[in-house]
Amino acid sequence: MRYLPINSLRDNNTLFVRSFIILLLTCITVRINLCFSSTNIPSSLRLLSLDGHFNFDDVDHAARDFGNRFQFRPSAVLHPKSVSDIANTIKHIWQMGPHSEIKVAARGHGHSLQGQSQAHRGIVIHMESLQGSKMQVHAGNLPYVDVSGGELWINILHESLKYGLAPKSWTDYLHLTVGGTLSNAGISGQAFRHGPQISNVHQLEVVTGKGEVINCSEKKNADLFHSVLGGLSQFGIITRARISLEPAPEMVKWIRVLYLDFATFARDQEHLISAKKTFDYIEGFVIINRTGLLNNWRSTFNPQDPVQASQFKSDGRTLFCLELAKYFNPDKKDAADEEVEDALSQLEYIPSTLFQSEVAYVDFLDRVHVSEVKLRAKGLWEIPHPWLNLLIPKSKIHDFAEEVFGKILIDTSNGPILIYPLSKSKWDNRTSVVIPEEDVFYLVAFLSSAVPSSTGNDHLEHILTQNKRILDFCETANLGMKQYLPHYTTLEEWKTHFGPQWQAFVQRKYAYDPLAILAPGQRIFHKTVPFS
């Protein structure tokens, strides 16, 4: 087709042609806006009857997370007041069929690292808005608490303590939602004894990718129950959970000791997690070359005495710190002291580095939040966090330590490095979580922060390069490593991650979210890519 300039047309046709062109351009502009702005949400979805509401303008906050590296702007944020708000929204999208490109992501406290709680041009559900039934604590021989999937663990702690109870298993940071941690696993220093948080759940209420609201447990709809636990939000959104409780202590004896030798450090940790009489919390971490223990942001455990403080500096060496906690009530303090003394006598740490403190149970569990407040005040919380969390089999942990702590990370660390053993017997192999095959395996967590540099150095790129070197070593050395909080970019990588469990994972996806509506930020399933 040949186009003529407007000024070449006859005068009596000029007004008509100009009007037509203006109308055409207007239609094109409207079409572009509909495709590429927040108005991409269908009008039928906008007209849904909800107890809560959609927000189509103030959505930028839902395009960020704690990792602060990926930003995928949604078209809308749903602020639900009821489970039916979530169910009706997802059901409507499900009924639109496979041609709809709208995806849905549940966002708790936004603590994901790689954009997992984001939904580009889709809908993000602000789970903390979910109300419904209030938190209910049930005391008795088998105590538990019923909570919303959008409830923070710190709130559960404060409420359950009113009854002298508390959940058995935690994460190090409590300002996370129940649905968020249960969709991954939820581990901390108590996991060697009680297992991860997903091993301490009695019942769930779940909204599937079809918009169905289903109650499930080990005895009812068991496949969905186990699918959702550790399922990376692929099969349903957790809207309510029944969490196991136990009697809560009032106080904690908080202990740290140092090691120069990794083999001794690892042997003592493995001894403690298998001993009959042991501590209630066991974690270790690595102090890389000149990175003082006192600068460890994840705790408020700081020696006050200058002489003691000087013993907690690495002085150019790589040290290994064992962090322990013994729970007790004031009327049983003498017995707790004896148990601690007996347990410590069986360890081979550097005697001069023993440091002990006594703190309230709540203060111990919420220790990271204290540091968060300080970092926020300095503008150092909302920066990139290129974390790397690995699960390493016990038989390979020495090879890993020799290469990573001896060759890759030799100058300094950009944040805490946690390392502690876990027992496979405390994990339920029916859930969706992938862990190493051995009976004992280690969590190794590189909790790096890309702090802005005054010299202009790109700390983020440096950390990402180190992370890649660590991952490359694990692969070439065939360590049998699995990622915790996994992140991959290709289907083949996900298949390798799940290994023999991949087909079961795919079958569960077909059963509960066949249109791949849920959790697009995980980048596992796409409509244009066959599941198998």
Side-chain angles (χ1 to χ4, degrees):
M1 177 180 294
R2 187 164 60 92
Y3 293 91
L4 297 175
I6 292 178
N7 59 11
S8 70
L9 298 174
R10 293 182 183 273
D11 291 340
N12 60 347
N13 289 330
T14 299
L15 182 60
F16 170 79
V17 173
R18 285 179 175 172
S19 298
F20 175 79
I21 292 175
I22 291 172
L23 178 62
L24 180 62
L25 291 174
T26 301
C27 290
I28 292 173
T29 301
V30 171
R31 183 67 177 270
I32 291 173
N33 287 338
L34 285 172
C35 292
F36 297 103
S37 75
S38 62
T39 58
N40 191 46
I41 297 297
S43 58
S44 58
L45 195 58
R46 292 168 174 266
L47 297 176
L48 282 178
S49 177
L50 302 173
D51 298 316
H53 68 279
F54 277 110
N55 194 316
F56 301 99
D57 301 315
D58 184 16
V59 300
D60 289 340
H61 68 283
R64 300 183 65 182
D65 58 19
F66 179 71
N68 205 18
R69 292 178 53 217
F70 297 89
Q71 294 189 28
F72 300 106
R73 194 176 190 271
S75 293
V77 175
L78 173 63
H79 296 266
K81 285 189 177 180
S82 64
V83 174
S84 63
D85 284 353
I86 299 173
N88 290 339
T89 298
I90 295 176
K91 183 181 293 184
H92 189 85
I93 297 171
W94 158 257
Q95 291 173 343
M96 292 170 64
H99 297 294
S100 171
E101 293 298 320
I102 301 175
K103 304 292 182 69
V104 177
R107 175 187 172 89
H109 212 51
H111 209 74
S112 58
L113 299 170
Q114 313 277 359
Q116 289 95 332
S117 62
Q118 300 174 28
H120 180 52
R121 295 176 59 195
I123 298 173
V124 170
I125 302 177
H126 183 62
M127 294 299 295
E128 289 186 70
S129 297
L130 183 61
Q131 296 178 358
S133 301
K134 292 183 178 181
M135 191 188 316
Q136 297 179 349
V137 176
H138 297 262
N141 294 331
L142 298 172
Y144 62 87
V145 58
D146 283 330
V147 297
S148 164
E151 191 63 80
L152 298 180
W153 285 97
I154 183 64
N155 296 336
I156 298 174
L157 174 63
H158 288 307
E159 183 65 22
S160 60
L161 283 177
K162 296 177 182 178
Y163 301 82
L165 301 168
K168 298 176 181 178
S169 191
W170 298 97
T171 55
D172 285 336
Y173 180 61
L174 303 190
H175 294 252
L176 306 171
T177 59
V178 168
T181 63
L182 295 185
S183 295
N184 291 282
I187 54 180
S188 182
Q190 304 88 0
F192 79 94
R193 168 170 284 179
H194 296 294
Q197 290 181 319
I198 59 173
S199 294
N200 295 277
V201 181
H202 297 310
Q203 185 175 312
L204 297 172
E205 178 186 71
V206 175
V207 179
T208 71
K210 300 177 184 179
E212 304 166 314
V213 181
I214 299 177
N215 288 304
C216 54
S217 65
E218 286 192 349
K219 297 181 179 179
K220 180 180 181 182
N221 299 311
D223 183 67
L224 177 61
F225 179 74
H226 293 118
S227 298
V228 170
L229 293 173
L232 305 177
S233 301
Q234 290 300 301
F235 315 112
I237 296 174
I238 297 172
T239 53
R240 198 154 187 84
R242 178 167 292 180
I243 310 295
S244 180
L245 301 177
E246 67 175 359
E250 295 180 31
M251 299 294 295
V252 174
K253 291 189 70 68
W254 195 358
I255 301 160
R256 283 186 178 178
V257 293
L258 296 182
Y259 294 77
L260 284 172
D261 175 62
F262 179 80
T264 306
F265 167 71
R267 185 171 61 248
D268 277 0
Q269 285 199 89
E270 291 167 15
H271 161 71
L272 287 174
I273 70 164
S274 62
K276 291 184 178 180
K277 291 186 177 182
T278 188
F279 294 90
D280 298 290
Y281 163 99
I282 298 171
E283 285 192 4
F285 57 91
V286 184
I287 306 170
I288 297 292
N289 197 10
R290 296 184 179 85
T291 302
L293 180 66
L294 302 182
N295 295 324
N296 179 12
W297 59 258
R298 63 180 293 274
S299 91
T300 56
F301 183 105
N302 290 329
Q304 301 299 318
D305 182 89
V307 176
Q308 287 183 319
S310 66
Q311 296 171 351
F312 282 79
K313 294 180 181 179
S314 63
D315 294 327
R317 298 167 294 181
T318 295
L319 301 178
F320 305 95
C321 180
L322 184 55
E323 183 176 44
L324 309 165
K326 185 70 176 179
Y327 304 156
F328 70 97
N329 289 322
D331 60 339
K332 302 290 185 181
K333 183 180 184 303
D334 291 342
D337 288 342
E338 291 181 9
E339 291 180 16
V340 167
E341 185 176 352
D342 180 62
L344 289 175
S345 70
Q346 302 174 42
L347 307 181
E348 298 183 51
Y349 57 89
I350 303 170
S352 62
T353 64
L354 172 64
F355 182 82
Q356 301 186 59
S357 178
E358 292 184 5
V359 296
Y361 181 61
V362 173
D363 293 339
F364 172 73
L365 291 180
D366 200 29
R367 59 198 180 279
V368 176
H369 181 61
V370 176
S371 297
E372 175 192 351
V373 172
K374 295 178 181 178
L375 289 174
R376 283 189 182 278
K378 298 177 181 178
L380 296 177
W381 184 258
E382 295 181 352
I383 59 177
H385 295 95
W387 288 8
L388 180 64
N389 296 273
L390 309 176
L391 301 175
I392 308 293
K394 170 186 170 181
S395 65
K396 302 293 185 179
I397 194 62
H398 295 277
D399 296 336
F400 179 90
E402 181 179 359
E403 178 71 18
V404 175
F405 306 137
K407 299 178 182 179
I408 297 178
L409 302 178
I410 56 175
D411 294 327
T412 185
S413 62
N414 298 282
I417 302 174
L418 308 186
I419 179 168
Y420 55 90
L422 301 163
S423 175
K424 186 179 181 181
S425 64
K426 302 297 183 180
W427 296 63
D428 191 331
N429 61 10
R430 295 171 295 180
T431 68
S432 295
V433 174
V434 178
I435 60 176
E437 292 297 323
E438 296 184 9
D439 291 338
V440 174
F441 56 93
Y442 278 76
L443 169 76
V444 187
F446 301 89
L447 309 183
S448 302
S449 299
V451 179
S453 171
S454 58
T455 62
N457 294 332
D458 192 342
H459 285 176
L460 176 59
E461 191 60 35
H462 174 68
I463 297 168
L464 292 175
T465 300
Q466 285 186 334
N467 287 351
K468 187 178 185 304
R469 288 184 63 191
I470 294 170
L471 291 172
D472 288 346
F473 167 71
C474 290
E475 182 177 357
T476 56
N478 196 26
L479 298 187
M481 174 274 294
K482 294 296 180 182
Q483 283 194 33
Y484 176 62
L485 308 177
H487 169 70
Y488 300 100
T489 57
T490 69
L491 186 63
E492 289 305 314
E493 288 175 320
W494 281 111
K495 286 183 178 180
T496 301
H497 171 75
F498 284 102
Q501 295 176 237
W502 172 247
Q503 286 304 320
F505 198 79
V506 170
Q507 290 172 5
R508 287 172 164 178
K509 187 68 171 180
Y510 270 129
Y512 305 116
D513 183 28
L515 296 186
I517 292 172
L518 301 177
Q522 295 286 0
R523 304 175 185 85
I524 304 176
F525 298 107
H526 307 278
K527 292 182 179 179
T528 58
V529 179
F531 288 176
S532 59

